[in-house]
Amino acid sequence: MRGRFSQAWSDVLRGSAFPHEGQAFLEQVFSADVFRPRPDHGGRDERFALTYERLRHVNDRVREAGSTVPLVQDRERLFPLLAWSAVADPALFYAMFLHHCMTTGAVLEFGAGREDLADVLEELAATERVGALLMTELGHGNSNASVRTVAEYDADREEFVLRTPEPAAVKFPPAVAAEGVPRLAVVLAQLVVDGAECGEFCFLVPLRDADGPLPGVGVRPLQPSPWLPLDGAVVSFDGVRIPYRFWLRDNAVLTADGGFTDPFGSPAIRARRTLSLIRFAWEAAVVGLAATAGASAAVAVRHAHRRRTGGRFAAGRPVIRYRNQQRALFGALSGAYVARLVAAATAGPEAPALTPGSVRTTFLMKVVTDRIAERVSARARTASGALGFLAANRFLDYQGFAHSLNAAAADNQMLLLDGAQALLAGTAYTPPADEAPTAGDRDLLDPATWETLAAVRERILHQELADGLRKATGSGLAPFDAWNGLYDLAERLAETHAARLVLGTLREAVREVAGSDPVTGPEAAGILRDLLALHALEELAGHDGWYLAEGLLDADEVRGIPALLDRLCERLEPYAEELAEALGVPYPLVGAPIAGEDYVGGLAGTAPSSGTA
């Protein structure tokens, strides 16, 4: 349903990375038969084949549309395609971002300007080989800090010899097990020249052709996760020879006699440069998670307007009228809006400058969006009752997708700790000023208040962490022991810093909608503010004891938050469907029967189940 305010909300959610004119192209790409929801009768091999069939379909349509640059460089097309892919099939999303962002991205990032890699880029553009990323190793958790896979330079043959020196160094768990799919991998390995370790570099390694793994490449399939049907594997290398041109050397140099120079000066700095590639994964993750959060919330809110109850007090009323349902569903809708606003701010049409501050913000937004998406899909599933657990209604798919991204593209906890250490070091960062709102001046529905309270919490936590580390090191503790007692505080600092940035984004969104139209803008902004306030107040309530102890909230304010949430739900109820529709969810692509007008007939087989209104 299109209402008076839909356009203003849709525009602010879409952001500049999602131009309106791309909608027709997306509908054309994803309306093909290959995306029709259908049960998986054939087992895992057929499911894997479907994922790569869908990948090639999307890729072919992009090429037919006349794209002249790699998709990773065409951000206005890339991000909407990733968003719709996540909604259609989270496994497809993984295949797409690994192929386009990580594999092609690595060639462009570390092989910039090299004509000898033109054929590789063309192979990837045509999906003659499907790209893969092999970074993490089985014995080193989710860390790339101590990669033991070795690429030893053979100066006589001007080649590299790739080997797995020990069981702990096998690559785990890249999605490369599907039969019949030629694969080209970006492999992170320790470069060894004349017996000396020279740092971690990326190498292009053909893993398999249509007939199976290539000589020297060991691929042992893993049991697919029930949360996400990917063709995971354990991969090892036994003397695989790599042509010199497949070394993505960036600005490092190997001379004919085997002399090595690296302008970065040390293996540690080189490793950080190589791992900067992962920023493509963070941007993609934010976009995909925001899309699935939107789909979860919109389907659940739509269904709640049609689902009738047999309650003893008001039998036959739609469940959306019940306040407990509103708290869950409107909370999910609020989270979906927050995720979409974060995505619009993070994944813009122009790549951000590669600075310590921008990189930190991007990976923290991945953490934030992942947690929101997981919470939204869980709430939407629970609020939909028994039907929420039906696989066809997609909540389990989307919740599993968010679960899987907890550890993908670097573990969320590790990212928070890295962020906190950078904040404490003052890397492109200054703590917020001491500007707490005074008692009597606070309006808990004012976006400025949300941001200010988060800023005060961030400043105090930053000071506590700095004092704690200073005291620990001053007492003679080694770095590990000093930090080991402060990790919880460090995580809270990074979480609060990220929350403050998000609240600033929400404040700007309300301001933008208010100025979008002189007649309807202020009212549309007021409704949007009420919706976003659900997220902000829930964040506040999660730390209300702390705010109370610090004198930043008083007891009446803390006790009053539940009633304030109820009042917001009451005000939002008339606009709930319009707010859901403004998310622009492609319901036919979701394919959830409960999104249809006659969901009973659709599931009972007495009416078509199209997932459309």
Side-chain angles (χ1 to χ4, degrees):
M1 59 180 283
R2 299 296 291 182
R4 294 174 60 211
F5 312 119
S6 298
Q7 194 63 58
W9 297 331
S10 177
D11 286 346
V12 77
L13 289 170
R14 185 182 295 269
S16 55
F18 296 85
H20 285 286
E21 54 268 23
Q23 185 75 14
F25 175 69
L26 292 170
E27 291 173 353
Q28 183 263 324
V29 170
F30 288 94
S31 63
D33 287 348
V34 72
F35 288 108
R36 285 187 179 175
R38 60 196 192 195
D40 181 12
H41 290 302
R44 69 181 192 179
D45 290 342
E46 287 76 9
R47 182 63 181 86
F48 299 157
L50 177 61
T51 296
Y52 295 111
E53 182 184 359
R54 288 172 168 175
L55 172 66
R56 292 192 179 97
H57 167 82
V58 173
N59 216 56
D60 289 348
R61 301 295 82 75
V62 170
R63 285 167 65 84
E64 288 170 4
S67 178
T68 58
V69 298
L71 193 56
V72 69
Q73 295 178 330
D74 187 1
R75 294 165 66 92
E76 289 191 0
R77 186 169 289 177
L78 169 69
F79 292 131
L81 284 169
L82 285 173
W84 280 48
S85 294
V87 169
D89 178 1
L92 170 64
F93 168 88
Y94 265 88
M96 278 198 63
F97 101 78
L98 288 170
H99 181 83
H100 290 290
C101 300
M102 305 309 293
T103 309
T104 302
V107 177
L108 295 170
E109 180 89 357
F110 304 128
R114 287 179 48 187
E115 294 184 3
D116 62 334
L117 294 175
D119 62 326
V120 174
L121 290 172
E122 177 54 33
E123 273 191 348
L124 292 169
T127 53
E128 293 174 13
R129 293 183 185 271
V130 174
L133 182 69
L134 277 64
M135 279 194 166
T136 52
E137 297 177 351
L138 181 60
H140 303 116
N142 214 43
S143 173
N144 298 303
S146 55
V147 167
R148 301 316 304 154
T149 300
V150 172
E152 188 166 9
Y153 184 56
D154 182 343
D156 293 336
R157 295 177 57 172
E158 294 188 352
E159 293 177 336
F160 300 92
V161 180
L162 191 67
R163 57 186 175 83
T164 302
E166 58 189 54
V170 295
K171 294 297 184 180
F172 171 89
V176 295
E179 298 290 342
V181 181
R183 305 305 296 263
L184 178 67
V186 172
V187 177
L188 184 65
Q190 182 69 236
L191 172 63
V192 175
V193 179
D194 197 22
E197 293 187 350
C198 299
E200 296 173 4
F201 285 86
C202 290
F203 296 83
L204 291 172
V205 183
L207 291 184
R208 60 189 308 154
D209 58 21
D211 296 323
L214 296 175
V217 178
V219 178
R220 186 171 69 83
L222 297 171
Q223 184 69 24
S225 165
W227 290 104
L228 193 67
L230 292 171
D231 54 323
V234 170
V235 180
S236 59
F237 304 102
D238 183 12
V240 176
R241 289 197 164 265
I242 306 170
Y244 183 87
R245 75 186 185 101
F246 280 3
W247 174 34
L248 298 180
R249 57 185 179 269
D250 197 24
N251 52 3
V253 176
L254 263 173
T255 59
D257 61 356
F260 174 79
T261 58
D262 187 351
F264 285 110
S266 77
I269 299 176
R270 167 53 63 186
R272 287 198 292 272
R273 162 63 178 157
T274 300
L275 293 178
S276 68
L277 176 69
I278 205 168
R279 71 186 187 278
F280 295 127
W282 296 326
E283 289 182 324
V286 169
V287 169
L289 288 162
T292 55
S296 296
V299 167
V301 168
R302 201 179 212 206
H303 173 58
H305 282 81
R306 294 156 176 78
R307 177 184 169 201
R308 304 281 169 172
T309 72
R312 68 180 65 178
F313 299 121
R317 287 195 179 187
V319 298
I320 198 67
R321 298 296 306 279
Y322 287 77
R323 192 56 45 78
N324 61 337
Q325 285 289 100
Q326 291 176 358
R327 287 278 290 273
L329 289 165
F330 297 167
L333 190 58
S334 179
Y337 265 64
V338 173
R340 284 285 299 273
L341 290 170
V342 169
T346 301
E350 299 296 329
L354 191 56
T355 65
S358 69
V359 169
R360 181 177 63 241
T361 296
T362 302
F363 71 62
L364 288 176
M365 292 307 102
K366 178 260 184 179
V367 177
V368 167
T369 313
D370 188 30
R371 290 180 171 182
I372 290 174
E374 196 165 356
R375 185 168 66 243
V376 167
S377 58
R379 279 185 168 184
R381 172 181 54 77
T382 302
S384 299
L387 290 174
F389 288 90
L390 187 66
N393 287 322
R394 307 303 304 279
F395 299 124
L396 292 173
D397 283 350
Y398 299 151
Q399 191 174 1
F401 176 52
H403 276 323
S404 70
L405 278 170
N406 289 171
D411 182 84
N412 284 349
Q413 187 178 54
M414 184 180 73
L415 291 174
L416 288 171
L417 294 175
D418 282 353
Q421 290 177 349
L423 296 176
L424 193 62
T427 306
Y429 172 76
T430 301
D434 186 4
E435 296 178 344
T438 58
D441 292 336
R442 282 187 298 260
D443 176 2
L444 294 185
L445 295 184
D446 183 353
T449 300
W450 312 336
E451 193 175 1
T452 300
L453 287 171
V456 175
R457 175 172 163 83
E458 180 181 342
R459 180 183 58 76
I460 293 173
L461 293 177
H462 181 274
Q463 188 62 54
E464 286 183 8
L465 183 60
D467 291 345
L469 189 62
R470 189 179 305 112
K471 180 179 179 181
T473 55
S475 66
L477 290 180
F480 170 79
D481 295 313
W483 273 101
N484 204 30
L486 296 170
Y487 281 138
D488 180 66
L489 178 57
E491 283 189 60
R492 283 185 279 132
L493 169 61
E495 289 167 347
T496 305
H497 172 68
R500 176 174 64 85
L501 297 180
V502 170
L503 293 170
T505 297
L506 305 189
R507 183 181 182 183
E508 182 56 37
V510 173
R511 184 184 297 117
E512 182 179 336
V513 170
S516 63
D517 184 277
V519 177
T520 62
E523 189 176 354
I527 299 165
L528 178 63
R529 183 210 60 185
D530 284 352
L531 181 67
L532 299 178
L534 292 176
H535 171 84
L537 290 175
E538 287 184 353
E539 287 285 317
L540 195 64
H543 308 293
D544 56 9
W546 183 91
Y547 282 107
L548 189 63
E550 293 290 335
L552 296 167
L553 292 178
D554 61 36
D556 288 340
E557 287 173 317
V558 170
R559 281 193 291 262
I561 288 177
L564 187 54
L565 291 170
D566 282 345
R567 288 203 302 275
L568 288 171
C569 288
E570 184 178 7
R571 297 208 301 243
L572 287 166
E573 184 186 346
Y575 306 102
E577 278 198 282
E578 186 180 353
L579 284 161
E581 293 306 309
L583 286 163
V585 173
Y587 291 109
L589 187 61
V590 176
I594 60 172
E597 286 286 354
D598 182 12
Y599 74 91
V600 172
L603 287 167
T606 59
S609 177
S610 64
T612 60

